[in-house]
Amino acid sequence: MKMTLIYPRWPKLERQTEFHLPPHGPVVFAAAVPEEIELEFVDENRQTVDFDQCGELVALSVMLTAQLPRAFEIAAEFRARQVPVIFGGIAVMLHSEEVALHADAVFLGEAEGRFQQVIDDFRAGRLRKLYDYMGNPPDISLVGTARRDILKRDLYNYRGVQMLDLVHASRGCKFNCFPCCTGYLGGRRFRPRPIDKVIEELESIRNNRLFVVDNSLAQDRQWLKELFTAMAPLKKKWVSHPILDDDEILKLAADAGAWYVYQAVFDTSDVIRNRVRRLKEHGIGVEGTIILGTDDQDEDYIKRLVDFLMEIELDVAEFTILTPFPHSPIRAQYEKEGRILSNDWSRYTADKVVFRPKRMSPERLQELYYYAWETFYAGGGHQLKMGELFKRVVKREMEDGTFRRYDPKRRRGFQKQREAMAE
Ligand code: B12
Ligand code: SF4
């Protein structure tokens, strides 16, 4: 049986350099699909969907709210051709009732150990409308090595630089930050994968540069120590969400190849200043993630915040506008206060104002978003600053002998060699 898995396209942040990372949810899901299924994958950010050629079942993997309108269009095309469509992924969990109106089946939760049942039902002609595993995650040791072989690798490079490969070593997050849906999605319980399985997966990835997409690497000190110690010999270079702010852990992280981290900058305090300084002292770069439009921010505050970012010499900054995504704590508050201005999901891209800010008009917040990007990057654009970060990783790779020039022809040769060996 053949199944077509599609990742619908989504609009990138205005003002940010447009780049496309290889999708993660779909390749992790693919590892949970029974082996007998022939899987065809289409990433609509890089490929075109052929509505007249597909498997007996179409599976849509949807991560962001802003992907939903396009996902519904895709589903409608296939369903008009009598091809059943199943939806899964993060945005499906966040918008399950609405998704059900566009789907033959809706899958909620994590797929490991659960998709065989769906296939059996489909084959027996009794596909259920809803497979609901929310709040009931599978045993974390069932998470296997993602099926990166379904990706067309040559689609993921930017001006000859190969994009990072995505990987995760844990699920869940014990924190419950106000703009975030993770508490609802994966639960508040931190669920680390067994370290040997993570290492096995890392070893299977040929790319030397990775994005470790765990929600937060600040949840379990002992596990972090073991993880970073086990990662160090692999000499990978990686980007991640925040790492525990602790000198021993930061040193281990740097030795394990930490290249730069995303660090939320929410105020101009010494806590942030010192955290950024400590990361830099350990040779770890910092990409600040700055949410604009919170209730404590007025126009002056935002301008001061942007000055502060330049003062603490962030390597890169990513500005977004506060967006009240369904099932985030901030959504519940704004709904109660009657401050949601739009439920048009195509506007939920994190660069458009969809709520009524407390200390300025929506129009002014939108202008300040552009102001922030333009002021921070006045001395050199986003591409230039990212270029600096890349130069740094190349230098480290040259030093430890892991630098590899990206050559699509060589990759194809390598793939053929592997296929021949497998036969
Ligand atoms: C990695 C990540 C990214 C990466 C994505 C890279 C990529 N190409 O995949 C990047 C950095 C690009 C990214 C960007 C953004 N992200 Co993001 N991101 C995440 C993160 C941390 C992990 C997602 C992930 O890969 N999880 C692991 C995979 C394995 O899990 P999964 O997708 O759920 O898949 C499992 C199941 O769902 C199932 N499954 C998946 N697909 C399918 C399909 C079918 C048919 C079935 C049956 C099952 C199934 O199987 C899998 C295994 O069990 C999440 C937080 C989180 N914990 O989820 C936020 C998250 C998805 N991001 C979020 C946001 C807000 C953003 C941004 C909009 C803003 C920002 N800066 O954060 C930007 C996009 C801006 C823009 N417009 O350009 C929000 C989503 C909000 C929303 N409702 O849209 C999240 C939830 C975090 C949060 N703040 O709450 N993000
Ligand atoms: S923002 Fe990060 S640390 Fe906070 S709840 Fe979400 S995933 Fe966890």
Side-chain angles (χ1 to χ4, degrees):
M1 177 188 150
K2 184 173 160 190
M3 181 170 90
T4 304
L5 173 63
I6 301 173
Y7 192 54
R9 66 171 177 254
W10 42 285
K12 303 290 159 174
L13 285 180
E14 223 186 302
R15 308 285 155 122
Q16 191 179 40
T17 311
E18 180 152 343
F19 61 92
H20 298 275
L21 291 168
H24 192 49
V27 294
V28 178
F29 164 62
V33 171
E35 270 174 28
E36 79 257 23
I37 303 296
E38 186 195 335
L39 201 57
E40 177 203 21
F41 177 59
V42 183
D43 173 2
E44 214 201 353
N45 291 299
R46 310 301 292 138
Q47 294 161 283
T48 307
V49 178
D50 182 347
F51 292 107
D52 295 314
Q53 262 205 340
C54 66
E56 292 132 83
L57 180 64
V58 165
L60 293 182
S61 179
V62 194
M63 178 180 83
L64 298 172
T65 291
Q67 275 178 299
L68 282 174
R70 178 60 187 156
F72 296 155
E73 284 173 12
I74 296 174
E77 290 284 348
F78 283 115
R79 296 178 88 203
R81 291 165 173 77
Q82 315 303 323
V83 182
V85 178
I86 180 167
F87 279 68
I90 292 167
V92 176
M93 299 183 222
L94 298 175
H95 299 262
S96 56
E97 286 177 16
E98 186 179 348
V99 171
L101 305 173
H102 301 266
D104 294 285
V106 174
F107 186 98
L108 306 178
E110 296 172 14
E112 288 77 13
R114 267 100 189 238
F115 203 65
Q116 181 74 56
Q117 183 64 54
V118 176
I119 294 295
D120 291 348
D121 289 353
F122 176 71
R123 283 192 158 138
R126 48 177 161 76
L127 187 67
R128 297 202 316 251
K129 188 83 185 135
L130 178 66
Y131 293 85
D132 186 355
Y133 297 104
M134 284 302 280
N136 176 19
D139 176 356
I140 193 73
S141 64
L142 290 177
V143 177
T145 291
R147 288 231 7 230
R148 296 179 180 80
D149 59 295
I150 65 170
L151 301 171
K152 294 203 170 47
R153 302 311 307 238
D154 297 349
L155 299 176
Y156 303 99
N157 68 71
Y158 178 75
R159 298 188 170 181
V161 178
Q162 191 181 356
M163 280 291 121
L164 318 178
D165 262 81
L166 278 62
V167 64
H168 69 284
S170 66
R171 292 186 181 169
C173 184
K174 66 180 185 182
F175 306 110
N176 192 27
C177 306
F178 67 93
C180 187
C181 323
T182 303
Y184 176 81
L185 289 167
R188 303 274 300 278
R189 194 164 57 85
F190 174 60
R191 291 177 292 133
R193 290 177 65 192
I195 287 177
D196 55 344
K197 291 205 103 182
V198 178
I199 298 298
E200 192 183 304
E201 174 153 7
L202 292 176
E203 281 173 338
S204 77
I205 304 174
R206 189 164 177 268
N207 195 347
N208 190 42
R209 299 180 197 153
L210 307 172
F211 178 3
V212 178
V213 301
D214 296 48
N215 296 308
S216 155
L217 292 177
Q219 306 197 59
D220 181 331
R221 197 171 187 285
Q222 187 53 35
W223 178 77
L224 286 171
K225 277 173 79 167
E226 288 166 24
L227 177 70
F228 294 154
T229 307
M231 281 172 76
L234 304 181
K235 294 188 180 171
K236 301 279 186 192
K237 307 291 172 287
W238 46 273
V239 175
S240 75
H241 292 122
I243 302 176
L244 190 69
D245 188 11
D246 165 310
D247 279 325
E248 188 191 4
I249 296 293
L250 290 178
K251 165 136 191 9
L252 287 170
D255 291 346
W259 166 20
Y260 67 93
V261 299
Y262 288 92
Q263 173 61 52
V265 180
F266 36 82
D267 60 28
T268 56
S269 67
D270 281 347
V271 175
I272 298 288
R273 189 187 297 274
N274 291 336
R275 188 169 294 180
V276 171
R277 181 178 48 76
R278 266 194 299 278
L279 284 162
K280 291 187 154 220
E281 279 169 4
H282 285 281
I284 303 172
V286 188
E287 168 154 0
T289 53
I290 302 99
I291 296 182
L292 303 178
T294 54
D295 283 358
D296 54 342
Q297 295 176 353
D298 59 12
E299 180 164 343
D300 277 354
Y301 190 106
I302 290 181
K303 289 185 170 162
R304 238 184 314 128
L305 193 58
V306 177
D307 290 345
F308 176 74
L309 304 178
M310 295 189 287
E311 204 182 297
I312 58 175
E313 296 180 352
L314 282 186
D315 296 296
V316 185
E318 181 192 273
F319 299 95
T320 53
I321 296 175
L322 178 63
T323 305
F325 290 109
H327 297 289
S328 60
I330 197 70
R331 172 103 189 171
Q333 182 194 326
Y334 286 0
E335 270 176 349
K336 227 190 298 156
E337 297 170 358
R339 291 167 63 190
I340 305 287
L341 295 178
S342 167
N343 283 324
D344 171 356
W345 304 133
S346 66
R347 291 180 55 76
Y348 276 59
T349 40
D351 58 0
K352 295 185 179 55
V353 185
V354 294
F355 72 103
R356 193 179 306 287
K358 192 163 181 184
R359 295 175 193 269
M360 65 192 91
S361 67
E363 295 74 23
R364 190 63 193 135
L365 176 56
Q366 190 71 52
E367 286 164 8
L368 285 168
Y369 170 74
Y370 299 130
Y371 165 88
W373 278 97
E374 274 146 29
T375 310
F376 185 82
Y377 289 107
H382 183 252
Q383 269 184 33
L384 202 73
K385 294 215 183 213
M386 280 308 292
E388 288 300 320
L389 277 176
F390 270 91
K391 263 197 232 160
R392 233 183 280 167
V393 78
V394 167
K395 187 165 170 268
R396 278 175 72 181
E397 288 171 346
M398 296 266 198
E399 279 163 11
D400 68 14
T402 54
F403 178 70
R404 226 183 351 235
R405 208 171 285 283
Y406 175 61
D407 175 358
K409 278 195 223 113
R410 220 180 109 205
R411 176 167 285 285
R412 276 197 290 275
F414 183 72
Q415 182 70 26
K416 274 194 197 138
Q417 248 177 43
R418 267 210 314 223
E419 282 164 10
M421 274 161 69
E423 278 168 20

